Each structure stands twice: as structure tokens, then as C-alpha cells.
Amino acid sequence: MLAVAVLAAGKGTRMKSALPKVLQPLAGATLVERVLASARTLAPERRILIVGHQAERVEAQLNHLDGLEFVLQQPQNGTGHAVQQLIAPLQSFTGELLVLNGDVPLLRAETIEQLVETHRNSGADVTLLTARLNDPTGYGRVFADDDGRVSAIVEHRDCTEEQRRNTLTNAGIYCFNWSKLLAVLPKLSTDNDQGELYLTDTVSMLERAMHVEVADADEVNGINNRRQLAQCETLLQQRLRDHWMDQGVTFVDPASCTLSESCRFGRDVVIEPQTHLRGVCSIGDNCRLGPGSLLEDSELAENVTVLHSVVRGAKVARDVAVGPFANLRPAADIGEGCRIGNFVEVKKSTLAAGTKVNHLSYIGDAELGTDVNVGAGTITANYDGVNKHRTVIGDRSKTGANSVLVAPVTIGADVTIGAGSTITKDVPNGSLALGRAKQWVKEGWNS
């Protein structure tokens, strides 16, 4: 059996933020959500989050995660004190305890799996994750033999000059035999510079300690300030882009683009410079995104182009061209072969196949049939100051330039609306509708 405990009680003072450190966003997810996700493949029987600073806010943010338990650490008196809070909730538990840090979000699932597997196979009381750092200043040094058995962990300040040449450091990630750890947890002492209880001290109290050296030291980067958060964002973005380039996606200028871990791409997608994808996005084969575009929580089918545009919460069928400078807002549903041109905004509307809205138009709360042609400057006036109303336009209808359709209104199929019209009443199929004032000219006005 396996229990996973994530330390997430700290204040994160150096972040200079009203938001708890573990809730800081990284590539579309919070730090602590990333840590929890990294252990998901292990299918642990218990998942426990040790909370403290702004505990209610952290719990509210994560209460959608099934089976996650919350344990309060109050006050926060070190990592050993945090794990001591598990004594009661895990009193009857038998198995391994994996301890992760809520501010170490780049750990790969396979690294954690290797740690747990090594621990189980070796029969160790504790197995810790280690990393070799080019500059280990400030980190505790781990001393171990060639078989991975740990003989000592010495804090930097206590190391001799010779010991400081050792670049193997403690990453602060542990897998314990819970029963053995339970026996020594009450023995922890605050006899140190910080007056805190350190989980590291349990390693020397246990009979058999092993270590697993992480292949990529960047995986154990912790986040204590905004600069480190930005560094981790850079590393994670590079990891995500590398993955998708290996799957057949082209990034013209990778460093200028960002994406979230919830994005999915088909083959032969081309992502131009300064294009960003956030939330849950699904991008079909042969799409071309950007340059200068933002997509969020949207679904694009095959052969869609998005040029200098914003697409949020929208669904776009195949063979659609969007932009430049278009804005597809939430619940925009664009049919196959449509054209959404420059300075067009579509919100909470359905456009059937072949419909074109080429320039300078607002389509809101509307339903457009197939092969509708929306003239430049057409507006569906959907708001009466109190409620939103719908506009319906039938197949093959055309609106002239600068038309205003005042909802609720239904325009039938094969209708032509004259330029400059304001339409306030329903129009039957096959009609010509005009709704503009008669032109009036007074000659000699300036004489």
C-alpha cells in the first residue's frame, strides 16, 4: 500500500503575493496540482495534503480532486513537524509513505516511480531522491556507497571543505517505510539553528537508507520566489514544446510560444511566433496558428487557420479561416468552411457550414444557417438593456453593409437585406428587406 503526502503548509513569503505559494500558476495549473498529478500513475491508496497558511483557500481550490484528504499543520514548525501531523490519520496504515513538496512541480512521474520501486526492491527504511548540482552551496550533502546506501546527510554549514566538494545533494523527496518512520517521528528535536523539526533528521535514525539520483537535476527545482517561478515556467514550456515537436508539431519560433499541459495537437500543425495556448485546447491536423494569436479552452478541427486573433471557449469545424484580428468568444460554434474575417467578433452563436462574416461585424446570441453572407459592419443587436435576445438568419441570406438586426428577430432563408437597414421585425423567406430612412437633400445649403 502507498500513501502520498504533499507538504503545502508554507507561507511563501518571498513570493510577495497574497496567493499561497502552492497555488501559484505554472503553465496553466497550480504548483500543487502539478505535484499531485506527478504521483497519479502510482495509484496510491491515500493522498494527503498537509496545509497551513491560508488552509481554507487551498482546500477550496482543490476540493474538486476526488479522494484528496487535508491535514492541518498549525503552527508551521518544519518539515518533520508537518509529517508528525500524519501520525493520527495514518495510525492504522501499513505500507510506504511518499513525501513530496508542494513547491517542487517539475518532477516527472517516471522519476517518482523509480524512487518507489527502488525503495520496495531494496527493503530500505527510507529512500531519498538526490541530485548532483553544479553549485550545491546551501544544500545538504548526501554521502553514499556505490550500491546507493546512504551513510550520512550533512548540512552545508556543517560540512568540511573536503565534504563540500561532494555535489550529491538531498532533494527533499522521500519514500518511507511508514511503520519504521512512525517509530522515530516523536523523537525529532528542535535543537538546531531554526528551532524547527526537520524530516531529514529521521534518515540518521533509521537503520537502512538508500538514495536514487535523479537524471535531470532541473526536476527537483524548488520555487521560493518569482524568479524561480519564471525559471520553472521556462523549463516546463521547453519540455512541452519538445514533446509536441517530437509528435509532429512545428514551432516556427519555439521560445516565443507558450502552451498548457492540457493542449492536444494533431499532425502537421504549424504554430507561428508569439502564439499562446491556454487551458484545454484540441487542435486538429494541418492547422496553422498565428502569428500573434491566443487560444484558450477551444476545439479546432482539421485545416483551420487562426491569424492574429483570439479564440476563447469556441468550437471551430474543419477548413475555417479566422482573422486577422478576429475575436471568437465563449460558445462560438463555427461550421465547416466558414470565414471569420478581420475585426469580427462572434459570441454565443452558431454559424452553419459555408457562412462568411468577412469584416467589421458583431454576431452575438445568433443562429446563422448555411452559406449566409454577412456584409461589412453588420451587427446583431442582442441586448435591450435588461435581457439578451436571439437572432436567427436562414440559409443563403445576405445582409448589406452596416445592417443592424434588432433581436429578437428571425430572418428567413434566401433573404436580402439592403445596406444600412435597421431590421426590427421578422422577414419571410425569399424577401428583400429595407429599413432605412429616405434620403433627403437640400440643394444650395452653403449658398
Side-chain angles (χ1 to χ4, degrees):
M1 296 180 69
L2 178 69
V4 174
V6 179
L7 309 185
K11 184 178 292 187
T13 304
R14 282 178 283 173
M15 295 299 295
K16 306 294 184 184
S17 175
L19 191 66
K21 179 168 68 171
V22 295
L23 295 186
Q24 295 290 332
L26 183 68
T30 65
L31 302 186
V32 70
E33 285 175 309
R34 291 193 169 280
V35 174
L36 289 165
S38 66
R40 187 183 300 137
T41 57
L42 293 170
E45 282 74 19
R46 303 278 295 273
R47 293 193 306 161
I48 302 172
L49 197 67
I50 301 173
V51 295
H53 177 65
Q54 293 196 48
E56 292 181 358
R57 187 171 183 178
V58 175
E59 290 186 36
Q61 180 87 11
L62 301 176
N63 61 12
H64 65 284
L65 299 176
D66 292 338
L68 183 61
E69 305 171 48
F70 297 92
V71 171
L72 181 64
Q73 181 193 11
Q74 199 65 263
Q76 291 87 56
N77 194 31
T79 54
H81 180 253
V83 177
Q84 281 182 343
Q85 309 314 303
L86 301 176
I87 292 175
L90 293 181
Q91 188 65 50
S92 60
F93 178 78
T94 57
E96 296 91 21
L97 174 68
L98 176 65
V99 178
L100 304 174
N101 288 302
D103 60 359
V104 181
L106 299 185
L107 268 178
R108 300 178 190 270
E110 50 266 35
T111 300
I112 298 175
E113 290 168 5
Q114 182 187 0
L115 177 69
V116 173
E117 182 180 3
T118 299
H119 177 79
R120 288 172 171 169
N121 292 340
S122 67
D125 299 329
V126 57
T127 305
L128 53 144
L129 197 64
T130 57
R132 291 194 184 274
L133 304 180
N134 293 329
D135 180 9
T137 303
Y139 289 86
R141 306 304 205 279
V142 177
F143 296 88
D145 62 24
D146 292 340
D147 294 325
R149 183 158 185 168
V150 176
S151 58
I153 301 177
V154 182
E155 293 302 318
H156 176 85
R157 62 180 178 273
D158 298 324
C159 286
T160 65
E161 285 302 316
E162 182 178 353
Q163 287 175 324
R164 288 183 180 181
R165 296 192 191 99
N166 176 18
T167 60
L168 187 66
T169 62
N170 179 19
I173 308 296
Y174 307 90
C175 188
F176 290 99
N177 178 311
W178 171 245
S179 298
K180 298 292 182 65
L181 178 63
L182 187 59
V184 301
L185 270 177
K187 301 177 183 178
L188 289 175
S189 168
T190 58
D191 186 18
N192 53 62
D193 291 345
Q194 301 297 320
E196 295 183 347
L197 299 173
Y198 292 134
L199 188 60
T200 309
D201 292 345
T202 63
V203 176
S204 62
M205 299 179 184
L206 296 169
E207 183 177 346
R208 183 174 174 81
M210 302 292 291
H211 83 100
V212 171
E213 183 180 338
V214 66
D216 179 5
D218 284 337
E219 286 190 50
V220 295
N221 283 358
I223 295 176
N224 294 299
N225 55 48
R226 303 279 186 172
R227 286 181 287 108
Q228 291 173 340
L229 181 64
Q231 290 162 4
C232 282
E233 181 79 39
T234 298
L235 290 167
L236 183 54
Q237 288 296 333
Q238 186 60 57
R239 185 189 294 181
L240 292 172
R241 292 189 298 263
D242 286 347
H243 168 78
W244 286 111
M245 284 190 281
D246 290 343
Q247 300 301 312
V249 175
T250 294
F251 286 88
V252 175
D253 180 16
S256 73
C257 300
T258 61
L259 56 153
S260 81
E261 216 155 27
S262 297
C263 293
R264 296 294 178 265
F265 301 91
R267 290 186 177 182
D268 298 313
V269 172
V270 176
I271 300 179
E272 297 272 8
Q274 298 295 337
T275 295
H276 307 279
L277 295 99
R278 299 174 182 165
V280 180
C281 289
S282 174
I283 311 298
D285 295 346
N286 300 304
C287 287
R288 193 175 192 96
L289 310 180
S293 295
L294 171 65
L295 294 91
E296 183 174 1
D297 294 323
S298 294
E299 179 182 343
L300 276 60
E302 300 83 5
N303 305 312
V304 173
T305 63
V306 178
L307 173 63
H308 285 297
S309 295
V310 175
V311 180
R312 278 195 171 113
K315 183 177 181 181
V316 182
R318 61 180 297 135
D319 301 318
V320 171
V322 178
F325 312 116
N327 184 8
L328 299 186
R329 292 171 54 193
D333 189 345
I334 311 301
E336 183 176 335
C338 286
R339 173 76 173 92
I340 308 297
N342 49 292
F343 302 103
V344 170
E345 180 177 352
V346 181
K347 168 254 179 188
K348 203 174 182 180
S349 297
T350 300
L351 280 64
T355 287
K356 295 177 175 58
V357 190
N358 281 316
H359 353 260
L360 305 165
S361 297
Y362 171 70
I363 306 297
D365 297 279
E367 180 181 341
L368 279 61
T370 60
D371 297 314
V372 172
N373 190 79
V374 177
T378 295
I379 293 173
T380 58
N382 54 340
Y383 186 51
D384 64 6
V386 179
N387 298 305
K388 295 289 182 70
H389 301 282
R390 289 192 68 76
T391 296
V392 177
I393 303 176
D395 299 342
R396 299 173 302 281
S397 288
K398 306 171 185 176
T399 70
N402 287 334
S403 298
V404 179
L405 310 181
V406 182
V409 67
T410 297
I411 309 300
D414 300 299
V415 167
T416 299
I417 295 176
S421 293
T422 298
I423 304 298
T424 60
K425 296 180 181 179
D426 294 350
V427 179
N429 295 341
S431 301
L432 169 64
L434 294 170
R436 58 189 181 222
K438 182 179 179 180
Q439 182 171 313
W440 183 83
V441 177
K442 184 174 179 61
E443 295 183 7
W445 182 252
N446 288 325
S447 58

